[in-house]
Amino acid sequence: MEQPLAIYRASTTRDAGRSGATMRRRAAGDGPDRLVRVGPNAFVRGADWDAAGPRQQYVTRVFARLGRRSAAAAGSHVSAVAGHGLPWLYPWPDTVHVTVPRSQYRSGSESLKLHTRPFGADDVVEHAGVRFTSVARTVADIALLGDVRAAVVVADAALRRGLTRQQIVRAVGGTAHDRGRATASLVLDLADGRSGSPAESFTRVVFRELGLPAPVLQQAFVVDGHRYEVDFWFPEHGVIVEVDGRSKYTQDRYRNGRSAAEVIVDEKRRHERLLTVPGVRWIIRLEWRDLWDLDQLARRLRAAGLPCAVRPVRSARDLAA
């Protein structure tokens, strides 16, 4: 589970400068003792907030909210995704999602969204005194929302961690007529723990949207004693598709001690060797941004000989913002 920043709340005894008025004044200032308000009567140190990444900032907002809810409430949906350290397709929101009993439901706000789908004891886990929906229940909740792209990204990551498909099926529950059940079934059909990254998960959904045949995932090729696994292999068309991000060239965990220039050279050699494999006639390299412009992507795939049976009816470019 992800850790929040240290959260401070106003003291009713007004000790150590922690009266509500004092803390609100510090939140309005810009000095070294600046505070950032992250929820009702909840503040963090400004320097800690500025140094935190978007996920930890959002997780802190979630803990700030849940710390004031009843024991029957649980962080859920995208808030549980963040808490469990699962990937999310979009920027982290400001709104905290909480599942509560129907008796505790009230109208939400821009910063709080309440859900009421019942959950059992196995659907909830506790972390640092705060309750979240379990990983299986979290995947099910996201799948039932109807966004196949986001749900497959989350489901793939959960399967990579060891969650089983049957656990997700049980968490979805309900009947065939439940709202969102059709989308959840599609997500279960598409989910695959072999996807190596959120970008690969997203790419598979985009391929389906464009009507491509299902590719082989993580196909291994051996060339001159070197083993190479590719992200997607379309054997009937002789096309390899790789999804690369700039992190491969900039982050130490991917470079393995190599410089960015050395990574580029190694990737070029890999590309050339793969093209010597019998049956491989084309290699397409995609970046994250390419996945949001379906029109341009379809043109590139068709140029390589892949049958995009579905003509994009829209571009997803605007969604990338």
Short mmCIF file of all heavy atoms in Angstrom, two decimals, residues 215-281:
data_model
loop_
_atom_site.label_atom_id
_atom_site.label_comp_id
_atom_site.label_asym_id
_atom_site.label_seq_id
_atom_site.Cartn_x
_atom_site.Cartn_y
_atom_site.Cartn_z
N PRO A 215 -2.93 -9.87 -31.01
CA PRO A 215 -1.51 -10.18 -31.21
C PRO A 215 -1.02 -11.20 -30.18
O PRO A 215 -1.67 -11.45 -29.16
CB PRO A 215 -0.84 -8.83 -30.97
CG PRO A 215 -1.72 -8.15 -29.97
CD PRO A 215 -3.13 -8.59 -30.28
N VAL A 216 0.13 -11.79 -30.46
CA VAL A 216 0.84 -12.62 -29.49
C VAL A 216 1.61 -11.70 -28.56
O VAL A 216 2.32 -10.80 -29.03
CB VAL A 216 1.78 -13.61 -30.19
CG1 VAL A 216 2.55 -14.44 -29.17
CG2 VAL A 216 1.02 -14.51 -31.15
N LEU A 217 1.47 -11.91 -27.26
CA LEU A 217 2.16 -11.06 -26.29
C LEU A 217 3.49 -11.67 -25.87
O LEU A 217 3.59 -12.89 -25.69
CB LEU A 217 1.29 -10.85 -25.04
CG LEU A 217 -0.13 -10.33 -25.24
CD1 LEU A 217 -0.78 -10.05 -23.89
CD2 LEU A 217 -0.14 -9.10 -26.12
N GLN A 218 4.49 -10.80 -25.72
CA GLN A 218 5.80 -11.19 -25.21
C GLN A 218 6.40 -12.36 -25.98
O GLN A 218 6.97 -13.28 -25.40
CB GLN A 218 5.70 -11.53 -23.72
CG GLN A 218 5.01 -10.49 -22.86
CD GLN A 218 5.64 -9.11 -22.97
OE1 GLN A 218 6.84 -8.98 -23.17
NE2 GLN A 218 4.83 -8.06 -22.83
N GLN A 219 6.27 -12.32 -27.29
CA GLN A 219 6.86 -13.35 -28.14
C GLN A 219 8.39 -13.26 -28.06
O GLN A 219 8.98 -12.18 -28.16
CB GLN A 219 6.41 -13.15 -29.59
CG GLN A 219 7.09 -14.08 -30.59
CD GLN A 219 6.69 -15.52 -30.40
OE1 GLN A 219 5.52 -15.83 -30.30
NE2 GLN A 219 7.68 -16.41 -30.32
N ALA A 220 9.04 -14.41 -27.88
CA ALA A 220 10.50 -14.44 -27.78
C ALA A 220 11.12 -14.84 -29.11
O ALA A 220 10.65 -15.77 -29.78
CB ALA A 220 10.93 -15.41 -26.68
N PHE A 221 12.18 -14.15 -29.49
CA PHE A 221 12.97 -14.49 -30.68
C PHE A 221 14.43 -14.62 -30.23
O PHE A 221 14.90 -13.83 -29.42
CB PHE A 221 12.87 -13.40 -31.75
CG PHE A 221 11.50 -13.20 -32.30
CD1 PHE A 221 10.66 -12.19 -31.83
CD2 PHE A 221 11.02 -14.02 -33.32
CE1 PHE A 221 9.40 -12.01 -32.35
CE2 PHE A 221 9.76 -13.85 -33.85
CZ PHE A 221 8.93 -12.84 -33.37
N VAL A 222 15.13 -15.60 -30.77
CA VAL A 222 16.55 -15.78 -30.47
C VAL A 222 17.35 -15.52 -31.74
O VAL A 222 17.15 -16.17 -32.77
CB VAL A 222 16.84 -17.20 -29.95
CG1 VAL A 222 18.35 -17.36 -29.69
CG2 VAL A 222 16.06 -17.46 -28.67
N VAL A 223 18.23 -14.52 -31.65
CA VAL A 223 19.05 -14.13 -32.80
C VAL A 223 20.51 -14.08 -32.37
O VAL A 223 20.87 -13.33 -31.46
CB VAL A 223 18.63 -12.75 -33.36
CG1 VAL A 223 19.40 -12.44 -34.64
CG2 VAL A 223 17.14 -12.68 -33.59
N ASP A 224 21.35 -14.89 -33.01
CA ASP A 224 22.79 -14.92 -32.70
C ASP A 224 23.04 -15.09 -31.20
O ASP A 224 23.92 -14.44 -30.61
CB ASP A 224 23.47 -13.63 -33.19
CG ASP A 224 23.39 -13.48 -34.69
OD1 ASP A 224 23.31 -14.52 -35.38
OD2 ASP A 224 23.40 -12.33 -35.18
N GLY A 225 22.26 -15.96 -30.58
CA GLY A 225 22.44 -16.22 -29.16
C GLY A 225 21.80 -15.21 -28.23
O GLY A 225 21.86 -15.37 -27.01
N HIS A 226 21.20 -14.18 -28.80
CA HIS A 226 20.53 -13.16 -27.99
C HIS A 226 19.03 -13.42 -28.00
O HIS A 226 18.43 -13.65 -29.05
CB HIS A 226 20.80 -11.76 -28.53
CG HIS A 226 22.26 -11.37 -28.50
ND1 HIS A 226 22.85 -10.80 -27.40
CD2 HIS A 226 23.23 -11.48 -29.45
CE1 HIS A 226 24.12 -10.56 -27.65
NE2 HIS A 226 24.38 -10.97 -28.90
N ARG A 227 18.41 -13.37 -26.82
CA ARG A 227 16.98 -13.58 -26.70
C ARG A 227 16.27 -12.23 -26.58
O ARG A 227 16.63 -11.40 -25.74
CB ARG A 227 16.66 -14.42 -25.46
CG ARG A 227 15.17 -14.65 -25.21
CD ARG A 227 14.96 -15.40 -23.89
NE ARG A 227 13.56 -15.46 -23.51
CZ ARG A 227 12.73 -16.42 -23.89
NH1 ARG A 227 13.18 -17.43 -24.62
NH2 ARG A 227 11.47 -16.42 -23.50
N TYR A 228 15.32 -12.01 -27.44
CA TYR A 228 14.56 -10.77 -27.43
C TYR A 228 13.07 -11.07 -27.29
O TYR A 228 12.53 -11.88 -28.04
CB TYR A 228 14.78 -9.97 -28.72
CG TYR A 228 16.23 -9.62 -28.98
CD1 TYR A 228 16.92 -10.21 -30.05
CD2 TYR A 228 16.90 -8.70 -28.18
CE1 TYR A 228 18.25 -9.88 -30.29
CE2 TYR A 228 18.22 -8.37 -28.42
CZ TYR A 228 18.89 -8.96 -29.47
OH TYR A 228 20.20 -8.64 -29.71
N GLU A 229 12.42 -10.44 -26.34
CA GLU A 229 10.97 -10.53 -26.21
C GLU A 229 10.36 -9.24 -26.71
O GLU A 229 10.79 -8.15 -26.33
CB GLU A 229 10.56 -10.77 -24.75
CG GLU A 229 10.84 -12.17 -24.26
CD GLU A 229 10.20 -12.46 -22.93
OE1 GLU A 229 9.56 -11.55 -22.36
OE2 GLU A 229 10.33 -13.60 -22.45
N VAL A 230 9.37 -9.36 -27.59
CA VAL A 230 8.73 -8.18 -28.16
C VAL A 230 7.35 -8.02 -27.53
O VAL A 230 6.72 -8.99 -27.08
CB VAL A 230 8.62 -8.29 -29.69
CG1 VAL A 230 10.00 -8.43 -30.30
CG2 VAL A 230 7.72 -9.45 -30.11
N ASP A 231 6.87 -6.80 -27.52
CA ASP A 231 5.60 -6.51 -26.87
C ASP A 231 4.43 -7.18 -27.60
O ASP A 231 3.59 -7.83 -26.98
CB ASP A 231 5.37 -4.99 -26.80
CG ASP A 231 6.42 -4.29 -25.96
OD1 ASP A 231 6.99 -4.95 -25.07
OD2 ASP A 231 6.67 -3.10 -26.19
N PHE A 232 4.38 -6.99 -28.93
CA PHE A 232 3.27 -7.53 -29.72
C PHE A 232 3.80 -8.12 -31.03
O PHE A 232 4.62 -7.50 -31.71
CB PHE A 232 2.25 -6.43 -30.04
CG PHE A 232 1.72 -5.71 -28.83
CD1 PHE A 232 2.18 -4.44 -28.51
CD2 PHE A 232 0.78 -6.30 -28.01
CE1 PHE A 232 1.71 -3.77 -27.40
CE2 PHE A 232 0.31 -5.65 -26.89
CZ PHE A 232 0.77 -4.38 -26.58
N TRP A 233 3.29 -9.29 -31.37
CA TRP A 233 3.71 -9.97 -32.59
C TRP A 233 2.47 -10.40 -33.35
O TRP A 233 1.60 -11.09 -32.82
CB TRP A 233 4.59 -11.15 -32.24
CG TRP A 233 4.89 -12.17 -33.30
CD1 TRP A 233 4.70 -13.52 -33.23
CD2 TRP A 233 5.48 -11.94 -34.60
NE1 TRP A 233 5.12 -14.14 -34.38
CE2 TRP A 233 5.60 -13.19 -35.25
CE3 TRP A 233 5.90 -10.78 -35.26
CZ2 TRP A 233 6.13 -13.33 -36.53
CZ3 TRP A 233 6.44 -10.92 -36.54
CH2 TRP A 233 6.55 -12.18 -37.17
N PHE A 234 2.38 -9.95 -34.60
CA PHE A 234 1.30 -10.34 -35.50
C PHE A 234 1.88 -11.32 -36.52
O PHE A 234 2.37 -10.89 -37.58
CB PHE A 234 0.71 -9.11 -36.19
CG PHE A 234 0.02 -8.15 -35.26
CD1 PHE A 234 0.72 -7.14 -34.62
CD2 PHE A 234 -1.35 -8.25 -35.03
CE1 PHE A 234 0.09 -6.25 -33.77
CE2 PHE A 234 -2.00 -7.37 -34.18
CZ PHE A 234 -1.27 -6.37 -33.55
N PRO A 235 1.88 -12.62 -36.21
CA PRO A 235 2.59 -13.59 -37.06
C PRO A 235 2.04 -13.69 -38.48
O PRO A 235 2.82 -13.91 -39.42
CB PRO A 235 2.41 -14.92 -36.30
CG PRO A 235 1.22 -14.71 -35.43
CD PRO A 235 1.24 -13.26 -35.05
N GLU A 236 0.75 -13.53 -38.68
CA GLU A 236 0.18 -13.67 -40.02
C GLU A 236 0.58 -12.51 -40.92
O GLU A 236 0.51 -12.62 -42.15
CB GLU A 236 -1.34 -13.76 -39.94
CG GLU A 236 -1.84 -15.02 -39.28
CD GLU A 236 -3.35 -15.12 -39.34
OE1 GLU A 236 -3.99 -14.24 -39.98
OE2 GLU A 236 -3.91 -16.07 -38.75
N HIS A 237 1.01 -11.42 -40.33
CA HIS A 237 1.36 -10.23 -41.11
C HIS A 237 2.84 -9.88 -41.00
O HIS A 237 3.31 -8.95 -41.66
CB HIS A 237 0.51 -9.04 -40.65
CG HIS A 237 -0.96 -9.34 -40.66
ND1 HIS A 237 -1.61 -9.87 -39.58
CD2 HIS A 237 -1.88 -9.20 -41.65
CE1 HIS A 237 -2.89 -10.04 -39.87
NE2 HIS A 237 -3.08 -9.66 -41.12
N GLY A 238 3.58 -10.61 -40.16
CA GLY A 238 5.01 -10.39 -40.03
C GLY A 238 5.36 -9.05 -39.40
O GLY A 238 6.41 -8.47 -39.71
N VAL A 239 4.51 -8.57 -38.50
CA VAL A 239 4.71 -7.24 -37.92
C VAL A 239 4.92 -7.34 -36.41
O VAL A 239 4.17 -8.02 -35.70
CB VAL A 239 3.50 -6.33 -38.20
CG1 VAL A 239 3.68 -4.96 -37.53
CG2 VAL A 239 3.31 -6.16 -39.71
N ILE A 240 5.96 -6.68 -35.94
CA ILE A 240 6.23 -6.51 -34.51
C ILE A 240 5.86 -5.09 -34.13
O ILE A 240 6.17 -4.13 -34.86
CB ILE A 240 7.72 -6.76 -34.20
CG1 ILE A 240 8.07 -8.24 -34.35
CG2 ILE A 240 8.08 -6.28 -32.79
CD1 ILE A 240 9.56 -8.53 -34.25
N VAL A 241 5.19 -4.94 -33.00
CA VAL A 241 4.90 -3.60 -32.48
C VAL A 241 5.50 -3.51 -31.08
O VAL A 241 5.25 -4.35 -30.22
CB VAL A 241 3.39 -3.33 -32.41
CG1 VAL A 241 3.14 -1.93 -31.84
CG2 VAL A 241 2.75 -3.45 -33.79
N GLU A 242 6.32 -2.49 -30.88
CA GLU A 242 6.93 -2.22 -29.58
C GLU A 242 6.41 -0.89 -29.06
O GLU A 242 6.25 0.07 -29.83
CB GLU A 242 8.45 -2.14 -29.72
CG GLU A 242 9.11 -3.43 -30.23
CD GLU A 242 9.52 -4.33 -29.11
OE1 GLU A 242 8.64 -4.69 -28.29
OE2 GLU A 242 10.70 -4.69 -29.04
N VAL A 243 6.16 -0.83 -27.77
CA VAL A 243 5.70 0.40 -27.14
C VAL A 243 6.82 0.91 -26.24
O VAL A 243 7.14 0.28 -25.22
CB VAL A 243 4.42 0.18 -26.32
CG1 VAL A 243 3.91 1.51 -25.78
CG2 VAL A 243 3.35 -0.48 -27.18
N ASP A 244 7.41 2.01 -26.61
CA ASP A 244 8.53 2.58 -25.86
C ASP A 244 8.11 3.90 -25.23
O ASP A 244 7.29 4.63 -25.78
CB ASP A 244 9.73 2.85 -26.78
CG ASP A 244 10.32 1.57 -27.33
OD1 ASP A 244 10.18 0.54 -26.66
OD2 ASP A 244 10.91 1.61 -28.42
N GLY A 245 8.73 4.19 -24.12
CA GLY A 245 8.57 5.49 -23.49
C GLY A 245 9.93 6.13 -23.31
O GLY A 245 10.97 5.46 -23.40
N ARG A 246 9.95 7.40 -23.06
CA ARG A 246 11.23 8.09 -22.85
C ARG A 246 11.94 7.59 -21.61
O ARG A 246 13.15 7.76 -21.47
CB ARG A 246 10.98 9.59 -22.74
CG ARG A 246 10.45 10.20 -24.04
CD ARG A 246 10.29 11.70 -23.93
NE ARG A 246 9.76 12.26 -25.18
CZ ARG A 246 9.51 13.56 -25.37
NH1 ARG A 246 9.73 14.41 -24.39
NH2 ARG A 246 9.04 13.97 -26.52
N SER A 247 11.17 6.96 -20.69
CA SER A 247 11.79 6.46 -19.46
C SER A 247 12.85 5.42 -19.75
O SER A 247 13.80 5.24 -18.98
CB SER A 247 10.72 5.87 -18.54
OG SER A 247 10.01 4.83 -19.20
N LYS A 248 12.72 4.70 -20.88
CA LYS A 248 13.71 3.69 -21.24
C LYS A 248 15.09 4.33 -21.41
O LYS A 248 16.12 3.68 -21.19
CB LYS A 248 13.30 2.98 -22.53
CG LYS A 248 14.32 1.97 -23.04
CD LYS A 248 13.89 1.33 -24.34
CE LYS A 248 12.76 0.38 -24.16
NZ LYS A 248 12.45 -0.39 -25.38
N TYR A 249 15.12 5.58 -21.79
CA TYR A 249 16.37 6.26 -22.07
C TYR A 249 16.80 7.20 -20.95
O TYR A 249 17.94 7.66 -20.92
CB TYR A 249 16.25 7.06 -23.37
CG TYR A 249 15.76 6.22 -24.52
CD1 TYR A 249 14.41 6.21 -24.88
CD2 TYR A 249 16.62 5.40 -25.24
CE1 TYR A 249 13.94 5.43 -25.93
CE2 TYR A 249 16.16 4.60 -26.28
CZ TYR A 249 14.82 4.62 -26.61
OH TYR A 249 14.36 3.83 -27.64
N THR A 250 15.87 7.51 -20.01
CA THR A 250 16.17 8.51 -19.00
C THR A 250 16.22 7.97 -17.58
O THR A 250 16.88 8.55 -16.72
CB THR A 250 15.13 9.64 -19.05
OG1 THR A 250 13.82 9.09 -18.81
CG2 THR A 250 15.15 10.33 -20.41
N GLN A 251 15.53 6.85 -17.29
CA GLN A 251 15.45 6.36 -15.91
C GLN A 251 16.46 5.23 -15.68
O GLN A 251 16.59 4.31 -16.49
CB GLN A 251 14.04 5.87 -15.60
CG GLN A 251 13.00 6.99 -15.61
CD GLN A 251 11.63 6.50 -15.16
OE1 GLN A 251 11.48 5.41 -14.61
NE2 GLN A 251 10.62 7.32 -15.40
N ASP A 252 17.14 5.32 -14.54
CA ASP A 252 18.21 4.37 -14.23
C ASP A 252 17.72 2.93 -14.19
O ASP A 252 18.46 2.01 -14.58
CB ASP A 252 18.85 4.73 -12.88
CG ASP A 252 19.64 6.04 -12.94
OD1 ASP A 252 20.01 6.44 -14.06
OD2 ASP A 252 19.86 6.65 -11.88
N ARG A 253 16.49 2.70 -13.73
CA ARG A 253 16.02 1.33 -13.57
C ARG A 253 15.87 0.62 -14.91
O ARG A 253 15.85 -0.61 -14.98
CB ARG A 253 14.68 1.30 -12.83
CG ARG A 253 13.57 2.10 -13.50
CD ARG A 253 12.26 1.90 -12.75
NE ARG A 253 11.21 2.76 -13.28
CZ ARG A 253 9.92 2.56 -13.04
NH1 ARG A 253 9.55 1.54 -12.30
NH2 ARG A 253 9.02 3.38 -13.54
N TYR A 254 15.74 1.37 -16.00
CA TYR A 254 15.65 0.78 -17.32
C TYR A 254 17.00 0.77 -18.04
O TYR A 254 17.24 -0.07 -18.90
CB TYR A 254 14.64 1.54 -18.18
CG TYR A 254 13.22 1.47 -17.66
CD1 TYR A 254 12.57 2.61 -17.20
CD2 TYR A 254 12.53 0.27 -17.62
CE1 TYR A 254 11.27 2.54 -16.70
CE2 TYR A 254 11.24 0.19 -17.14
CZ TYR A 254 10.62 1.33 -16.68
OH TYR A 254 9.34 1.26 -16.20
N ARG A 255 17.88 1.68 -17.67
CA ARG A 255 19.15 1.79 -18.39
C ARG A 255 20.18 0.77 -17.91
O ARG A 255 21.13 0.47 -18.62
CB ARG A 255 19.69 3.22 -18.22
CG ARG A 255 18.93 4.22 -19.07
CD ARG A 255 19.14 5.67 -18.63
NE ARG A 255 20.53 6.01 -18.42
CZ ARG A 255 20.93 7.22 -18.05
NH1 ARG A 255 20.03 8.18 -17.86
NH2 ARG A 255 22.19 7.47 -17.88
N ASN A 256 20.03 0.25 -16.68
CA ASN A 256 20.96 -0.77 -16.17
C ASN A 256 22.42 -0.33 -16.27
O ASN A 256 23.29 -1.07 -16.72
CB ASN A 256 20.77 -2.09 -16.92
CG ASN A 256 19.40 -2.69 -16.70
OD1 ASN A 256 18.87 -2.64 -15.60
ND2 ASN A 256 18.82 -3.24 -17.75
N GLY A 257 22.65 0.89 -15.84
CA GLY A 257 24.02 1.39 -15.83
C GLY A 257 24.50 1.96 -17.14
O GLY A 257 25.64 2.45 -17.23
N ARG A 258 23.71 1.89 -18.17
CA ARG A 258 24.11 2.41 -19.49
C ARG A 258 23.75 3.88 -19.62
O ARG A 258 22.82 4.37 -18.99
CB ARG A 258 23.42 1.63 -20.60
CG ARG A 258 23.74 0.15 -20.65
CD ARG A 258 22.84 -0.57 -21.65
NE ARG A 258 21.44 -0.51 -21.24
CZ ARG A 258 20.42 -0.89 -22.01
NH1 ARG A 258 20.65 -1.34 -23.24
NH2 ARG A 258 19.17 -0.82 -21.56
N SER A 259 24.49 4.56 -20.46
CA SER A 259 24.13 5.94 -20.78
C SER A 259 22.97 5.94 -21.77
O SER A 259 22.66 4.91 -22.38
CB SER A 259 25.33 6.67 -21.40
OG SER A 259 25.63 6.13 -22.68
N ALA A 260 22.34 7.09 -21.93
CA ALA A 260 21.24 7.19 -22.88
C ALA A 260 21.70 6.85 -24.29
O ALA A 260 20.99 6.18 -25.05
CB ALA A 260 20.64 8.60 -22.84
N ALA A 261 22.93 7.27 -24.64
CA ALA A 261 23.46 6.97 -25.96
C ALA A 261 23.66 5.48 -26.15
O ALA A 261 23.38 4.92 -27.23
CB ALA A 261 24.78 7.71 -26.17
N GLU A 262 24.13 4.80 -25.11
CA GLU A 262 24.33 3.35 -25.20
C GLU A 262 23.00 2.62 -25.34
O GLU A 262 22.90 1.62 -26.07
CB GLU A 262 25.08 2.86 -23.95
CG GLU A 262 26.54 3.28 -23.91
CD GLU A 262 27.21 2.95 -22.59
OE1 GLU A 262 26.51 2.95 -21.55
OE2 GLU A 262 28.43 2.70 -22.59
N VAL A 263 21.97 3.11 -24.66
CA VAL A 263 20.65 2.50 -24.79
C VAL A 263 20.16 2.62 -26.23
O VAL A 263 19.62 1.67 -26.80
CB VAL A 263 19.65 3.15 -23.82
CG1 VAL A 263 18.23 2.61 -24.06
CG2 VAL A 263 20.06 2.89 -22.38
N ILE A 264 20.36 3.79 -26.83
CA ILE A 264 19.92 4.01 -28.21
C ILE A 264 20.64 3.06 -29.17
O ILE A 264 20.03 2.46 -30.06
CB ILE A 264 20.16 5.48 -28.62
CG1 ILE A 264 19.24 6.40 -27.82
CG2 ILE A 264 19.95 5.67 -30.11
CD1 ILE A 264 19.51 7.87 -28.03
N VAL A 265 21.95 2.90 -28.97
CA VAL A 265 22.72 2.00 -29.83
C VAL A 265 22.23 0.55 -29.65
O VAL A 265 22.05 -0.18 -30.64
CB VAL A 265 24.23 2.10 -29.51
CG1 VAL A 265 25.00 1.01 -30.25
CG2 VAL A 265 24.76 3.47 -29.91
N ASP A 266 22.02 0.14 -28.41
CA ASP A 266 21.54 -1.22 -28.15
C ASP A 266 20.17 -1.46 -28.78
O ASP A 266 19.90 -2.54 -29.32
CB ASP A 266 21.47 -1.48 -26.64
CG ASP A 266 22.85 -1.63 -26.01
OD1 ASP A 266 23.83 -1.81 -26.77
OD2 ASP A 266 22.95 -1.56 -24.77
N GLU A 267 19.30 -0.46 -28.72
CA GLU A 267 17.97 -0.60 -29.31
C GLU A 267 18.06 -0.69 -30.84
O GLU A 267 17.30 -1.43 -31.47
CB GLU A 267 17.09 0.58 -28.90
CG GLU A 267 16.61 0.52 -27.47
CD GLU A 267 15.75 -0.70 -27.20
OE1 GLU A 267 14.77 -0.92 -27.95
OE2 GLU A 267 16.06 -1.45 -26.25
N LYS A 268 19.00 0.04 -31.41
CA LYS A 268 19.18 -0.02 -32.87
C LYS A 268 19.66 -1.41 -33.28
O LYS A 268 19.16 -1.98 -34.27
CB LYS A 268 20.18 1.05 -33.31
CG LYS A 268 20.36 1.15 -34.81
CD LYS A 268 21.26 2.33 -35.16
CE LYS A 268 21.38 2.50 -36.67
NZ LYS A 268 21.99 1.34 -37.34
N ARG A 269 20.60 -1.98 -32.52
CA ARG A 269 21.09 -3.32 -32.83
C ARG A 269 19.97 -4.35 -32.66
O ARG A 269 19.82 -5.27 -33.47
CB ARG A 269 22.25 -3.67 -31.90
CG ARG A 269 23.54 -2.92 -32.21
CD ARG A 269 24.57 -3.18 -31.15
NE ARG A 269 25.84 -2.49 -31.44
CZ ARG A 269 26.80 -2.30 -30.55
NH1 ARG A 269 26.65 -2.76 -29.30
NH2 ARG A 269 27.91 -1.66 -30.88
N ARG A 270 19.19 -4.19 -31.62
CA ARG A 270 18.06 -5.09 -31.39
C ARG A 270 17.09 -5.04 -32.57
O ARG A 270 16.62 -6.07 -33.05
CB ARG A 270 17.37 -4.69 -30.09
CG ARG A 270 16.17 -5.53 -29.69
CD ARG A 270 15.63 -5.00 -28.36
NE ARG A 270 14.59 -5.85 -27.81
CZ ARG A 270 13.31 -5.77 -28.11
NH1 ARG A 270 12.90 -4.85 -28.97
NH2 ARG A 270 12.43 -6.58 -27.55
N HIS A 271 16.79 -3.84 -33.01
CA HIS A 271 15.88 -3.64 -34.14
C HIS A 271 16.43 -4.34 -35.40
O HIS A 271 15.69 -5.07 -36.09
CB HIS A 271 15.74 -2.14 -34.39
CG HIS A 271 14.73 -1.78 -35.44
ND1 HIS A 271 13.47 -1.32 -35.14
CD2 HIS A 271 14.80 -1.82 -36.79
CE1 HIS A 271 12.81 -1.10 -36.25
NE2 HIS A 271 13.60 -1.37 -37.28
N GLU A 272 17.71 -4.15 -35.67
CA GLU A 272 18.31 -4.74 -36.87
C GLU A 272 18.32 -6.26 -36.79
O GLU A 272 18.07 -6.95 -37.80
CB GLU A 272 19.74 -4.20 -37.05
CG GLU A 272 19.78 -2.71 -37.39
CD GLU A 272 21.19 -2.16 -37.37
OE1 GLU A 272 22.09 -2.85 -36.83
OE2 GLU A 272 21.41 -1.04 -37.88
N ARG A 273 18.63 -6.80 -35.61
CA ARG A 273 18.66 -8.26 -35.46
C ARG A 273 17.27 -8.87 -35.62
O ARG A 273 17.11 -9.93 -36.23
CB ARG A 273 19.26 -8.63 -34.10
CG ARG A 273 20.77 -8.43 -34.04
CD ARG A 273 21.27 -8.58 -32.62
NE ARG A 273 22.74 -8.53 -32.58
CZ ARG A 273 23.45 -8.28 -31.49
NH1 ARG A 273 22.82 -8.07 -30.34
NH2 ARG A 273 24.77 -8.25 -31.54
N LEU A 274 16.27 -8.22 -35.08
CA LEU A 274 14.91 -8.75 -35.20
C LEU A 274 14.46 -8.80 -36.66
O LEU A 274 13.72 -9.70 -37.07
CB LEU A 274 13.93 -7.91 -34.38
CG LEU A 274 13.98 -8.13 -32.86
CD1 LEU A 274 13.13 -7.09 -32.13
CD2 LEU A 274 13.49 -9.54 -32.51
N LEU A 275 14.91 -7.84 -37.44
CA LEU A 275 14.52 -7.82 -38.86
C LEU A 275 15.17 -8.96 -39.65
O LEU A 275 14.77 -9.21 -40.79
CB LEU A 275 14.89 -6.47 -39.48
CG LEU A 275 13.96 -5.30 -39.13
CD1 LEU A 275 14.51 -4.00 -39.69
CD2 LEU A 275 12.54 -5.55 -39.66
N THR A 276 16.17 -9.64 -39.07
CA THR A 276 16.77 -10.79 -39.75
C THR A 276 16.01 -12.08 -39.48
O THR A 276 16.31 -13.10 -40.10
CB THR A 276 18.24 -10.97 -39.32
OG1 THR A 276 18.29 -11.37 -37.94
CG2 THR A 276 19.04 -9.69 -39.51
N VAL A 277 15.04 -12.04 -38.56
CA VAL A 277 14.26 -13.25 -38.24
C VAL A 277 13.35 -13.58 -39.41
O VAL A 277 12.62 -12.70 -39.90
CB VAL A 277 13.43 -13.03 -36.96
CG1 VAL A 277 12.51 -14.22 -36.71
CG2 VAL A 277 14.34 -12.79 -35.77
N PRO A 278 13.35 -14.82 -39.89
CA PRO A 278 12.44 -15.20 -40.97
C PRO A 278 10.98 -14.91 -40.58
O PRO A 278 10.53 -15.28 -39.50
CB PRO A 278 12.68 -16.70 -41.14
CG PRO A 278 14.07 -16.91 -40.62
CD PRO A 278 14.24 -15.94 -39.50
N GLY A 279 10.28 -14.24 -41.45
CA GLY A 279 8.89 -13.92 -41.20
C GLY A 279 8.66 -12.53 -40.65
O GLY A 279 7.54 -12.01 -40.72
N VAL A 280 9.70 -11.91 -40.07
CA VAL A 280 9.56 -10.54 -39.57
C VAL A 280 9.87 -9.59 -40.71
O VAL A 280 10.98 -9.58 -41.25
CB VAL A 280 10.51 -10.28 -38.39
CG1 VAL A 280 10.43 -8.80 -37.98
CG2 VAL A 280 10.17 -11.17 -37.21
N ARG A 281 8.91 -8.79 -41.09
CA ARG A 281 9.14 -7.88 -42.21
C ARG A 281 8.98 -6.41 -41.82
O ARG A 281 9.36 -5.53 -42.58
CB ARG A 281 8.19 -8.21 -43.37
CG ARG A 281 6.73 -8.03 -43.07
CD ARG A 281 5.84 -8.26 -44.28
NE ARG A 281 4.50 -7.77 -44.05
CZ ARG A 281 4.13 -6.51 -44.17
NH1 ARG A 281 5.02 -5.60 -44.51
NH2 ARG A 281 2.89 -6.13 -43.94
#
